[in-house]
Amino acid sequence: MKRVLLLFFMFVWTFQPFVHALSWAYSFVVWKGHVYEVTVEEVTDIGKMIGQVKTQADNRTGDYWGDASNVYPVGTKYYEIKGTPTKLAIAVEVEPNRYLKAVYKHRSPHYWKEVALKIGFGLVIVAIVFIVVRLKIKRS
């Protein structure tokens, strides 16, 4: 009986699904290839809207690309702070009319998705130009 229980527990332990999730060091947003740490400092002197969260960071792998965030949902808007260069800090709208300061930390890593999108877009443009030129040659 002891062997059956031992085998049962070994089987259950071996085939148990493992769930892995990252614990982020800080809340961040990415804008134009720059990572900004979102602080608790509220900002009131808001300038124009400069961008928004477009993708979420992956909580299992830690990967992110484009204008992303690990905490804030897609659609969260970024604003410039009057009198502060965007290379130093931006404002993140965390609630309607409530903005937190996000300070520049480092450049964002580049991922294959960014390059693939640019190459794909370029290939589509080349294909369209090629088709238009071919059609003009046939009509002549």
Side-chain angles (χ1 to χ4, degrees), residues 35-132:
V35 177
Y36 295 84
E37 179 181 356
V38 181
T39 66
V40 295
E41 182 181 343
E42 292 202 26
V43 181
T44 56
D45 203 10
I46 302 301
K48 66 178 180 173
M49 187 180 106
I50 55 175
Q52 64 181 335
V53 175
K54 295 180 183 170
T55 61
Q56 287 293 130
D58 190 319
N59 285 330
R60 287 172 284 163
T61 64
D63 292 341
Y64 55 90
W65 62 282
D67 292 347
S69 177
N70 64 338
V71 174
Y72 299 101
V74 172
T76 301
K77 295 177 179 151
Y78 311 146
Y79 293 84
E80 64 181 13
I81 301 171
K82 291 181 182 175
T84 304
T86 56
K87 289 185 177 188
L88 297 178
I90 61 174
V92 178
E93 186 175 33
V94 294
E95 295 174 2
N97 298 317
R98 183 170 175 247
Y99 307 91
L100 294 180
K101 185 177 191 176
V103 295
Y104 176 78
K105 292 297 275 185
H106 57 83
R107 293 228 9 108
S108 171
H110 292 286
Y111 287 100
W112 66 269
K113 290 180 183 179
E114 292 178 77
V115 175
L117 284 173
K118 290 176 184 175
I119 290 172
F121 184 70
L123 289 174
V124 167
I125 297 229
V126 168
I128 290 171
V129 169
F130 180 76
I131 291 170
V132 168

